Amino acid sequence: MDRTGSVQEPQVQLPSARPSDPLLHPDSHMDVKGYQWVRWRLWLCRLMAPLSLGLLLLVFHWRPRLSILLRCCSCPLALADILLIRDSFGEQHVVEVLTEEMDEGSWEMFGEMEDTEWRDNVELYKEKKTLLRYYLYEGLRYVWLDRKGAYCPVSVLSEDWTCKDLHGFQRGLSLEEQVLRRRIYGPNLIDVPVKSYMRLLFEEVLNPFYVFQVCSIILWTIDNYYYYASCILIISILSISISLHEIRKQSTTLRNMARFVTNVTIRTNSGEEQCVSSLDLVPGDCLIIPQEGLLLPCDAALLGGECLVNESMLTGESVPVLKTSLPSADGRFSADSERRHTLFCGTQLIQAKGGRSDGTGAVAVVTSTGFFTAKGRLVSSILYPQPTNFRFYRDAAKFLLFLAAIALGGTVYSVVLLVRFKASWLELVVRSLDIVTIVVPPALPAALTTGTIYAQRRLKKLGVFCISPPRINISGKVSVFCFDKTGTLTEEGLDVWGVMEGGPAGFSELVPDPRRLNPGPMLSGLACCHTVALLRGQPLGDPLELKMFQSTGWTLQEPEADGLDSEFGDHRVLAIMRPPPQLEPGVGGAVAIVGRFPFSSTLQRMSVVTVAPGGQSAAAFVKGSPEMVASLCRPETVPVHFSSTLGHFSADGLRVLALGYKPLDANTDFRSVERELLETDLTFLGLLMMKNLVKPESAEVINMLRLANLRTVMVTGDNILTAVNVAKSCGMVGSDEKVIFVKATPHTPHSTPTLRFSLGDGGSAQDNTEVFTQGLYQAGFGYHLAVNGRSFAALCDHFPEYLPKVLMRTTVFARMAPEQKTQLVKELQKLNYRVGMCGDGANDCGALRAADVGVSLSEAEASVASPFTSKTENISCVPLLIREGRCSLVTSFSLFRYMALYSLIQFCSVLILYTMQTNLSDLQFLFCDLVLVTLLAIVMGRGGPSSALHPSRPPASLLALPVLGSLFIHTCVIVTGQVVALLLTTSQDWYVPLNATRPGEDNWPNPEDSSVFALSGFQYIIMAVVVTKGHPHKEPLYRNGLFLLLLLLLFSVMAWLVLDPLPAVSSVLQLFTVSDMNFRLLLVAVAALNFMISFMAEVLIDLGVLDCLRLLRGRRPSKKRYKQLDGVLSDTPSWPPLNRTLSPSESSVIYLS
């Protein structure tokens, strides 16, 4: 057996947000290695722990992998006590294998499951026991599968359940089956761990940052820096206390949100109904839902009746959704492909009906529990967020190593000096290590988050909430932003614009008001083909369907309590639609809905089954995208000019839906009829046009983003011509720019894949394209590509060489299914784009989570559907977020540079004074670090963002030439300034050299120390001014009033300390009193000159003076694939090849290095 293995995940036909989705769970492609404890190694490590003064345990805490390698030996996974897991992001985790004894023979109750698959037989006290081997990782339970030789998520038990299998569970589980499943699946609980204060304190103190702080405090105490060590200790204790309080508060809040236990009713195999705790629910339990609904504690498939569900907690969508019964079919059940039949954990069931024999309540079967539910996966994504691969954070870690190298050089220099001065061994060690605490600032990690914290507070005040603060900085680097259309760029509600009936003879005249339609199938279809429901007498449902239904003037009536209605032949009725009184006596009377198949984004349609009074005239009505409905209708019933008519209305920006119907045999069993049988051989009825107005803010925001060189893309499920019209209306496509339609066809038994670029409606060639064929760039035209979901799928499958080029120029993606939106975001990220996504949070959840910056427009304060949630119901939050992200990123850069320069200033001061056999005094260190640096670092990040978006984005690399060049130049100026101050001091007539026979602290106060302290104090303030950036991404410095006031105050304090300090203050700070006023003024003049040189150097660097150095190495191409590809396309005037049909073998390939 192999010693390593992989965690096997269930394969699904469609991309889904199950545990196999790497966006939600990094364990999708985990590598697992097994280890067993080695007793002699364990005892050896226990012996070495006290001998190393706990250092070994500290190393084990920081590097768990090392602790496993030293205490264990590798072994087969089936025999492992400990597992070392490496997730898809390269991070390693250590988990313990748990075992649970099972009753012999209990596995046979699990139906067809193999007996050897789930157990491990071991010899224990000479008795054969059956053990369940499993481990817990990020809340999920993984069980050992002997047949697969791997640990698999326990959800694999139910991954092959078909819809028919689920219907078989309506009879309920036996008591023995329930007990067995509870032991295997574990409790149905989303339990967020809330650690005790002692454990949190232990973990926080062992953080490398605080370990470094503790060692530094001990070092300073040994060096007699009591005041400084005491202040840092107090600040550290306060910082730890605040951090522990916030961590525990957040954990408690999340636990209260996630943890939910209630009593539910289940059905057993004996037919009895029992009230049990939701903790005991297992997949396969038959759940009885009361008529008044409940807050669902698990994921379940709805098998009987209908439920009105509020899913706002998961999707951010406030409109209730109608869920219908799952058809009994042989296909495998998938919660994502069957969303309209699935009840998700954490959602509020408002009402249930038609599921039981008396017509009340509903019946469902549990499909997932605990962290395997939809709510559990989203809670897990908060607890264990995806690592942010951002260059700024990577460079910060590298720069710390660079500072550590400088510290090493300073340590060597100080050792040489101290040996030369014949210092004691204690002083030698203390002084050498003191250099490390100076060069590597322990407050650097905290300083880097200051800008993000300020930005998060400003966003919250403006109604934008963030659950992932590191993404604020990332939003400053977004290069392309994708927008959903309906409800995002356009208004949520639609108004009926008109109806056109159609048939073999063509389309009728446009009827603006559906009430004027003659009674018949078209009017009945408009009145009943929807999922609108009544709640306390008020109709609720999708805004589009609500408008369509209300436009007919018909009324909705709920059936009797038992659902059986004698008026309609004793069929079980879901809803009754009654026409206005004047139509009741004649043709087109009341219609009862007896079956319903809700809208599916994948199928692009919905359907209902209706009967007339007396149970006669049964019919199926289908509503959906015109292309889909027309493909399901008999060809002879579709008007000849269908495509041109649809294109005309879509090009005008109208939302177009088509309706079809099919007469049914009244004796059909409508409760078990399959959807596929209903939705074939339809008769085409006509088109419904709805006007969807663009929000007034959309055009302004899109124009703002385009001026800022931010690419904008529309991703919608609507018709491609409608989407192009909206793109033109909101400014994504300019009035003088062309739209080229991309049509790709997949492989079929009768044809090969093809690809075509056309100025037509997606396929037809046009005669007016000669000027374009001369070359788009040469002719001076701008152009945009438009592609639909079907062509996008064909491009991905058959034309991967062309896909990057199409993505580079496509602005409109239409008829995109939810999983295709997610795939599009990932494909753009492969081109090295930083992708933003803005949507309404319903069908866009996957794309919102996949994007680098996802913004959900929702009334919820903190939706888990995306990192950012905006209460503003338009896209005006997008430029706001980008401006705040750029401001935060610039602030983080400024603070990083300031903290680095602060360390270098103090490093230079200490080395210069070491050379003179002295050092800064205790309170001088304290004054510099707390009064000057800390106050400035806290306040300098308060500056807000610029009011406009600049075309350039702020840099994200700390190792770029301008940053490193700036630090080098400023360091040279700092060293020169301090050396000049020292030389000026030693050249004075009153100067008396230090007594070399006395230790440094006995030489206080002395002129060398005082002059270096004076100039370094000014330098801390000067650098705060120099590195604080304003234009173009932040407000000017003078707009940060508190920072400006603090600068003036500190400049005044330092000038006072140099020119005329009080004797008491000089005594406390160990300052040397100089009576020569000219010398004092000379020090201030040196500081002023230092400021001028540093400020001018920074201005020149900002203007690009250092760019001349790049000319020496030659121009290097960008490493970003989209920039390389853009250059190639710009130099290819013959692309795209218009009106040519390409096959995969003809497609040219662009190779990128």
Side-chain angles (χ1 to χ4, degrees):
M1 185 180 293
D2 293 339
R3 296 179 182 274
T4 63
S6 298
V7 172
Q8 303 292 325
E9 293 290 344
Q11 300 296 315
V12 293
Q13 294 177 348
L14 294 173
S16 68
R18 300 178 66 177
S20 59
D21 189 348
L23 293 171
L24 293 182
H25 285 287
D27 52 306
S28 308
H29 308 287
M30 297 190 302
D31 291 325
V32 184
K33 295 182 179 179
Y35 294 88
Q36 281 184 328
W37 297 114
V38 178
R39 185 165 299 180
W40 69 267
R41 293 188 183 182
L42 274 173
W43 281 107
L44 181 61
C45 289
R46 289 171 183 172
L47 178 63
M48 292 300 297
L51 295 178
S52 63
L53 301 179
L55 183 61
L56 183 64
L57 296 179
L58 192 61
V59 172
F60 285 173
H61 178 75
W62 290 342
R63 291 288 181 267
R65 179 175 179 271
L66 186 60
S67 70
I68 296 302
L69 296 178
L70 291 180
R71 296 186 292 179
C72 304
C73 66
S74 181
C75 72
L77 284 176
L79 304 176
D81 301 318
I82 294 290
L83 300 177
L84 184 62
I85 299 174
R86 182 173 181 174
D87 61 30
S88 57
F89 302 110
E91 297 184 359
Q92 294 185 326
H93 312 267
V94 175
V95 296
E96 182 182 358
V97 175
L98 306 174
T99 59
E100 188 168 342
E101 185 178 333
M102 308 293 291
D103 295 332
E104 188 65 33
S106 60
W107 294 100
E108 283 73 3
M109 299 179 187
F110 240 85
E112 299 177 357
M113 185 174 56
E114 295 184 20
D115 185 56
T116 60
E117 187 168 318
W118 289 95
R119 65 179 183 179
D120 181 29
N121 292 329
V122 298
E123 198 74 24
L124 182 63
Y125 298 116
K126 301 191 182 297
E127 294 182 10
K128 203 165 190 178
K129 303 289 183 182
T130 302
L131 294 182
L132 174 70
R133 302 178 65 84
Y134 67 95
Y135 69 88
L136 300 175
Y137 175 70
E138 294 187 355
L140 302 177
R141 179 178 285 217
Y142 291 80
V143 188
W144 172 253
L145 285 175
D146 190 58
R147 182 172 58 86
K148 294 184 178 181
Y151 282 93
C152 295
V154 73
S155 60
V156 77
L157 274 172
S158 55
E159 71 167 339
D160 291 326
W161 284 353
T162 64
C163 299
K164 185 176 291 186
D165 292 335
L166 292 175
H167 277 272
F169 283 119
Q170 287 190 78
R171 68 180 184 275
L173 300 176
S174 67
L175 179 61
E176 292 80 7
E177 286 177 315
Q178 288 175 340
V179 171
L180 176 60
R181 288 172 186 261
R182 286 169 192 164
R183 300 185 75 172
I184 295 173
Y185 284 97
N188 174 35
L189 187 65
I190 305 173
D191 195 14
V192 176
V194 178
K195 300 174 183 177
S196 65
Y197 277 111
M198 284 303 299
R199 183 173 177 182
L200 285 173
L201 177 63
F202 179 76
E203 292 180 354
E204 193 74 8
V205 169
L206 293 185
N207 183 293
F209 163 69
Y210 284 113
V211 170
F212 185 65
Q213 284 279 45
V214 170
C215 294
S216 300
I217 290 171
I218 295 173
L219 185 68
W220 297 326
T221 304
I222 296 173
D223 203 21
N224 300 325
Y225 285 95
Y226 300 118
Y227 293 119
Y228 186 73
S230 301
C231 287
I232 297 300
L233 178 62
I234 293 171
I235 292 174
S236 298
I237 292 174
L238 289 175
S239 175
I240 290 175
S241 301
I242 294 172
S243 177
L244 296 187
H245 175 73
E246 287 297 320
I247 292 173
R248 188 172 172 86
K249 179 182 176 182
Q250 292 173 5
S251 298
T252 304
T253 302
L254 186 58
R255 184 179 192 178
N256 293 338
M257 184 272 286
R259 186 184 178 94
F260 176 67
V261 180
T262 186
N263 291 327
V264 294
T265 302
I266 62 172
R267 179 186 295 162
T268 64
N269 65 343
S270 63
E272 297 181 358
E273 294 182 359
Q274 292 182 348
C275 181
V276 299
S277 170
S278 60
L279 285 170
D280 297 329
L281 287 177
V282 292
D285 269 332
C286 182
L287 186 64
I288 306 299
I289 301 172
Q291 184 171 356
E292 64 275 10
L294 79 161
L295 185 62
L296 204 65
C298 60
D299 283 0
L302 183 60
L303 302 183
E306 292 184 339
C307 291
L308 194 62
V309 186
N310 182 352
E311 295 186 330
S312 60
M313 197 285 290
L314 294 181
T315 66
E317 180 62 63
S318 58
V319 178
V321 181
L322 184 68
K323 304 279 184 164
T324 58
S325 301
L326 177 72
S328 179
D330 293 328
R332 189 172 67 176
F333 172 79
S334 168
D336 290 286
S337 59
E338 306 290 351
R339 289 186 67 89
R340 286 290 186 170
H341 312 296
T342 305
L343 307 174
F344 293 105
C345 178
T347 59
Q348 179 67 55
L349 276 60
I350 302 173
Q351 69 176 20
K353 61 180 180 180
R356 308 182 68 184
S357 56
D358 58 359
T360 63
V363 179
V365 166
V366 178
T367 56
S368 298
T369 58
F371 276 95
F372 287 100
T373 63
K375 179 181 177 181
R377 293 191 298 270
L378 291 175
V379 171
S380 181
S381 69
I382 299 175
L383 279 174
Y384 314 103
Q386 177 182 349
T388 53
N389 184 23
F390 194 42
R391 187 171 183 177
F392 175 76
Y393 300 121
R394 299 197 307 269
D395 287 356
K398 293 177 183 177
F399 197 84
L400 282 176
L401 294 177
F402 171 70
L403 290 179
I406 293 178
L408 180 62
T411 300
V412 172
Y413 177 75
S414 62
V415 168
V416 171
L417 282 177
L418 293 169
V419 170
R420 179 181 165 189
F421 296 146
K422 299 180 181 180
S424 64
W425 279 105
L426 177 61
E427 185 178 5
L428 186 69
V429 173
V430 170
R431 295 292 184 198
S432 301
L433 294 178
D434 194 32
I435 294 293
V436 179
T437 67
I438 291 172
V439 179
V440 183
L444 183 60
L448 292 181
T449 62
T450 303
T452 304
I453 292 171
Y454 282 125
Q456 188 175 7
R457 289 178 180 175
R458 288 192 297 266
L459 286 171
K460 188 174 182 180
K461 290 180 181 178
L462 296 171
V464 180
F465 301 92
C466 175
I467 62 172
S468 181
R471 292 188 185 265
I472 295 178
N473 276 351
I474 297 176
S475 66
K477 292 294 290 181
V478 168
S479 48
V480 59
F481 226 103
C482 304
F483 295 92
D484 180 37
K485 182 180 77 70
T486 306
T488 304
L489 294 172
T490 62
E491 300 287 352
E492 182 68 44
L494 296 93
D495 293 317
V496 174
W497 191 80
V499 180
M500 288 181 69
E501 294 187 88
F507 285 102
S508 66
E509 292 293 325
L510 178 71
V511 180
D513 187 357
R515 290 182 178 89
R516 298 181 183 176
L517 287 172
N518 294 322
M522 184 66 179
L523 181 60
S524 298
L526 292 173
C528 66
C529 196
H530 54 74
T531 56
V532 176
L534 286 179
L535 180 63
R536 303 181 185 92
Q538 296 296 320
L540 288 176
D542 183 89
L544 182 149
E545 294 185 334
L546 206 54
K547 285 284 186 181
M548 181 190 74
F549 160 66
Q550 291 172 343
S551 70
T552 63
W554 289 42
T555 57
L556 172 63
Q557 178 183 327
E558 291 285 349
E560 300 296 330
D562 59 359
L564 300 176
D565 199 310
S566 58
E567 180 184 356
F568 296 95
D570 288 328
H571 284 289
R572 189 171 298 284
V573 174
L574 301 176
I576 301 172
M577 314 306 299
R578 296 192 182 277
Q582 63 269 24
L583 295 180
E584 185 74 46
V587 182
V591 175
I593 300 175
V594 295
R596 194 150 36 189
F597 297 95
F599 176 78
S600 165
S601 298
T602 304
L603 299 178
Q604 299 180 13
R605 63 184 183 270
M606 71 152 298
S607 57
V608 295
V609 180
T610 66
V611 294
Q616 302 301 312
S617 302
F621 290 92
V622 178
K623 173 181 97 274
S625 70
E627 303 92 336
M628 178 57 69
V629 173
S631 69
L632 299 174
C633 293
R634 301 195 310 276
E636 65 271 15
T637 68
V638 180
V640 177
H641 301 294
F642 167 79
S643 296
S644 59
T645 304
L646 172 62
H648 170 72
F649 288 120
S650 298
D652 288 339
L654 297 174
R655 178 77 177 271
V656 185
L657 298 175
L659 285 90
Y661 93 109
K662 177 181 182 179
L664 299 175
D665 185 351
N667 296 322
T668 303
D669 183 3
F670 302 127
R671 294 176 62 86
S672 61
V673 65
E674 294 185 4
R675 183 170 189 168
E676 290 74 14
L677 296 178
L678 293 178
E679 298 174 346
T680 54
D681 296 327
L682 302 174
T683 299
F684 188 83
L685 290 178
L687 300 176
L688 168 68
M689 280 70 70
M690 306 191 79
K691 189 68 174 177
N692 192 200
L693 299 175
V694 176
K695 292 180 180 179
E697 301 85 2
S698 297
E700 180 183 352
V701 171
I702 296 298
N703 182 57
M704 188 185 305
L705 296 178
R706 292 192 70 181
L707 290 176
N709 288 337
L710 277 167
R711 184 183 166 196
T712 55
V713 172
M714 181 192 300
V715 191
T716 177
D718 209 343
N719 178 276
I720 192 169
L721 294 178
T722 304
V724 168
N725 180 275
V726 173
K728 291 180 178 179
S729 300
C730 66
M732 283 188 181
V733 176
S735 58
D736 59 338
E737 295 177 318
K738 303 290 184 180
V739 176
I740 300 174
F741 294 88
V742 183
K743 183 177 182 181
T745 59
H747 177 78
T748 66
H750 307 290
S751 64
T752 59
T754 61
L755 176 62
R756 188 178 180 85
F757 298 89
S758 161
L759 282 172
D761 59 0
S764 61
Q766 294 194 3
D767 299 329
N768 58 351
T769 60
E770 287 80 6
V771 67
F772 252 64
T773 58
Q774 298 299 320
L776 293 170
Y777 291 98
Q778 295 174 357
F781 289 111
Y783 71 94
H784 299 263
L785 300 183
V787 62
N788 61 26
R790 186 168 180 263
S791 295
F792 177 74
L795 274 167
C796 294
D797 294 338
H798 305 291
F799 297 90
E801 309 89 357
Y802 258 94
L803 181 62
K805 293 188 284 183
V806 171
L807 292 177
M808 283 294 301
R809 295 293 186 254
T810 303
T811 299
V812 175
F813 293 87
R815 292 285 185 234
M816 297 285 281
E819 62 272 9
Q820 287 182 312
K821 293 182 180 182
T822 305
Q823 185 180 2
L824 171 63
V825 169
K826 294 179 180 179
E827 293 295 337
L828 288 171
Q829 289 171 332
K830 289 179 183 178
L831 297 178
N832 303 127
Y833 276 113
R834 284 288 176 187
V835 183
M837 175 72 195
C838 183
D840 58 11
N843 292 328
D844 308 314
C845 283
L848 288 170
R849 288 193 294 268
D852 297 290
V853 178
V855 185
S856 172
L857 304 183
S858 170
E859 295 180 0
E861 181 169 314
S863 169
V864 290
S866 64
F868 297 93
T869 305
S870 173
K871 284 191 173 182
T872 307
E873 296 181 353
N874 57 65
I875 62 172
S876 61
C877 60
V878 171
L880 170 68
L881 176 60
I882 295 174
R883 287 192 290 112
E884 286 289 358
R886 292 182 174 184
C887 174
S888 175
L889 187 56
V890 170
T891 300
S892 298
F893 256 79
S894 298
L895 283 167
F896 186 92
R897 292 173 61 204
Y898 181 64
M899 297 305 293
L901 287 169
Y902 143 67
S903 298
L904 293 172
I905 291 171
Q906 202 164 85
F907 174 69
C908 295
S909 301
V910 170
L911 287 188
I912 289 172
L913 293 177
Y914 273 10
T915 307
M916 303 300 295
Q917 288 187 270
T918 185
N919 198 1
L920 296 173
S921 70
D922 191 353
L923 291 179
Q924 285 175 358
F925 273 121
L926 194 62
F927 177 82
C928 292
D929 287 2
L930 297 186
V931 178
L932 297 181
V933 175
T934 303
L935 289 179
L936 287 170
I938 291 174
V939 178
M940 69 187 295
R942 289 185 72 255
S946 173
S947 58
L949 274 177
H950 195 266
S952 65
R953 292 175 294 151
S957 174
L958 289 168
L959 303 181
L961 180 62
V963 178
L964 296 179
S966 170
L967 289 175
F968 176 76
I969 292 172
H970 291 315
T971 302
C972 292
V973 174
I974 287 166
V975 173
T976 303
Q978 293 187 18
V979 170
V980 167
L982 182 64
L983 293 177
L984 285 174
T985 303
T986 58
S987 65
Q988 299 301 310
D989 296 336
W990 44 261
Y991 172 72
V992 178
L994 290 174
N995 186 350
T997 61
R998 300 169 61 187
E1001 56 271 15
D1002 292 340
N1003 282 318
W1004 291 327
N1006 58 73
E1008 295 93 340
D1009 162 59
S1010 298
S1011 60
V1012 172
F1013 165 75
L1015 193 65
S1016 65
F1018 278 116
Q1019 287 175 337
Y1020 294 126
I1021 306 171
I1022 290 169
M1023 289 301 114
V1025 176
V1026 169
V1027 302
T1028 300
K1029 300 293 183 180
H1031 179 79
H1033 303 299
K1034 286 189 66 175
E1035 291 179 335
L1037 186 147
Y1038 62 82
R1039 297 289 297 273
N1040 187 351
L1042 187 58
F1043 181 51
L1044 190 62
L1045 182 63
L1046 184 63
L1047 285 174
L1048 294 174
L1049 177 61
L1050 294 179
F1051 264 123
S1052 302
V1053 170
M1054 282 306 305
W1056 171 65
L1057 289 176
V1058 173
L1059 296 176
D1060 191 23
L1062 293 175
V1065 175
S1066 297
S1067 175
V1068 169
L1069 290 177
Q1070 300 285 347
L1071 295 178
F1072 185 80
T1073 303
V1074 179
S1075 58
D1076 187 355
M1077 181 57 69
N1078 291 331
F1079 173 75
R1080 299 178 185 178
L1081 291 173
L1082 190 59
L1083 283 179
V1084 175
V1086 172
L1089 182 62
N1090 190 334
F1091 172 73
M1092 292 177 61
I1093 295 174
S1094 297
F1095 185 79
M1096 289 302 299
E1098 190 68 19
V1099 170
L1100 292 174
I1101 291 171
D1102 289 341
L1103 292 175
V1105 170
L1106 294 180
D1107 290 343
C1108 62
L1109 298 177
R1110 291 175 175 164
L1111 299 177
L1112 301 176
R1113 70 178 187 188
R1115 184 177 180 83
R1116 292 184 180 179
S1118 173
K1119 295 181 180 179
K1120 291 183 171 60
R1121 289 193 65 205
Y1122 75 88
K1123 289 187 177 181
Q1124 298 177 23
L1125 199 52
D1126 183 64
V1128 173
L1129 292 179
S1130 298
D1131 296 334
T1132 311
S1134 61
W1135 197 89
L1138 293 177
N1139 302 326
R1140 283 178 52 201
T1141 302
L1142 306 174
S1143 63
S1145 59
E1146 296 178 30
S1147 57
S1148 59
V1149 183
I1150 292 181
Y1151 293 98
L1152 300 177
S1153 58

